[in-house]
Amino acid sequence: MVAVLALSVVSANAQRLKQSEVKGIYLRQATSFGAGGMMITTFQPYLLLNDGTFWKKMDVPPMELDVQQSRRNDPKSWGQWKMEGSKIAVMDRTKWTTPVMYLARPATAGTKLEGTYRAVSGGGNTSLGGDVMVMATTNITFSTDGSFESKSGSGATTSRVSTSSSSTSRGTYSLDGYTIVLKYQDGRTVRKPFVYMNKTGDRGIFIGGTGYTKRR
């Protein structure tokens, strides 16, 4: 899924999370359909709290989340978890399962990224012998001077028609724990959840619920 970076609004009266309430953000492994209908491995970030609940919407930075309001207004984005031996178990509908989950890492305040990170999504049926291919990509290039450039493109093809579109935006960024702040040249300031896929971030990053792999 292509990242959609939307402005986060936090109420002045919000009951924000405390760090002591957070176990961590874990990436749940699953399978999905990608460009052309090909089966691919995907990951979804889950914020695990020490009270045995998890949150998976990832539309605001975790430390700005008003837990009570979110649970009240959007209960479907919440669930339960527990430890079963050394594995994390989650409640899926009516039963406990133990999916593959990896601990993601927050960023140290002031850390800078370097390189290009790419997110790809799509659909279609070419992998099954059809003629429909849909693909969308976002490439974000981060520099150690604190600037970034984001290039997004999408396209669809069939045996009879082909369409495409693209856009580019630039600005500056900063990292602090589970938060990335993006300040665009057009005046927008966007705050989103952020984690490294692994300890060093050389595999990739998550911005919101979208994973970006680092291009070599």
Side-chain angles (χ1 to χ4, degrees):
M1 180 179 295
V2 175
V4 178
L5 303 179
L7 181 63
S8 301
V9 179
V10 180
S11 168
N13 298 318
Q15 300 298 311
R16 296 187 181 186
L17 276 173
K18 299 180 178 64
Q19 188 62 52
S20 61
E21 298 176 285
V22 177
K23 177 175 178 62
I25 291 180
Y26 286 74
L27 304 178
R28 179 176 180 171
Q29 183 174 310
T31 56
S32 183
F33 294 102
M38 181 182 298
M39 187 72 72
I40 59 173
T41 300
T42 61
F43 296 90
Q44 181 179 6
Y46 279 44
L47 173 68
L48 271 57
L49 302 185
N50 289 324
D51 66 1
T53 62
F54 67 77
W55 176 65
K56 59 182 180 179
K57 191 169 186 179
M58 292 294 164
D59 60 342
V60 299
M63 307 317 295
E64 299 176 12
L65 176 66
D66 186 330
V67 174
Q68 292 183 358
Q69 180 177 332
S70 178
R71 284 174 174 162
R72 181 171 58 250
N73 295 341
D74 191 16
K76 290 184 178 180
S77 69
W78 288 87
Q80 295 176 284
W81 73 274
K82 65 180 181 178
M83 295 301 299
E84 288 191 354
S86 61
K87 295 182 178 180
I88 294 172
V90 299
M91 175 62 74
D92 282 332
R93 297 184 180 178
T94 60
K95 65 179 181 179
W96 290 97
T97 62
T98 53
V100 177
M101 300 186 78
Y102 300 96
L103 177 63
R105 305 288 181 170
T108 302
T111 299
K112 299 301 180 186
L113 299 170
E114 184 175 16
T116 298
Y117 294 80
R118 188 182 199 194
V120 180
S121 64
N125 58 13
T126 55
S127 67
L128 301 175
D131 68 345
V132 178
M133 167 73 81
V134 179
M135 178 176 287
T137 62
T138 298
N139 291 285
I140 307 179
T141 300
F142 295 97
S143 300
T144 55
D145 64 1
S147 64
F148 75 89
E149 180 180 75
S150 177
K151 295 183 177 181
S152 297
S154 61
T157 60
T158 70
S159 58
R160 292 178 294 178
V161 66
S162 177
T163 64
S164 64
S165 64
S166 63
S167 63
T168 300
S169 57
R170 299 178 179 85
T172 61
Y173 72 95
S174 61
L175 299 173
D176 186 0
Y178 293 119
T179 303
I180 184 169
V181 180
L182 301 168
K183 295 184 178 181
Y184 290 84
Q185 289 180 341
D186 62 10
R188 290 177 296 146
T189 297
V190 174
R191 302 174 65 86
K192 295 292 283 185
F194 175 91
V195 287
Y196 296 117
M197 287 184 183
N198 60 339
K199 187 174 182 179
T200 62
D202 58 353
R203 284 180 55 196
I205 60 176
F206 266 81
I207 297 176
T210 301
Y212 294 78
T213 56
K214 190 168 187 180
R215 302 195 69 179
R216 305 299 179 183

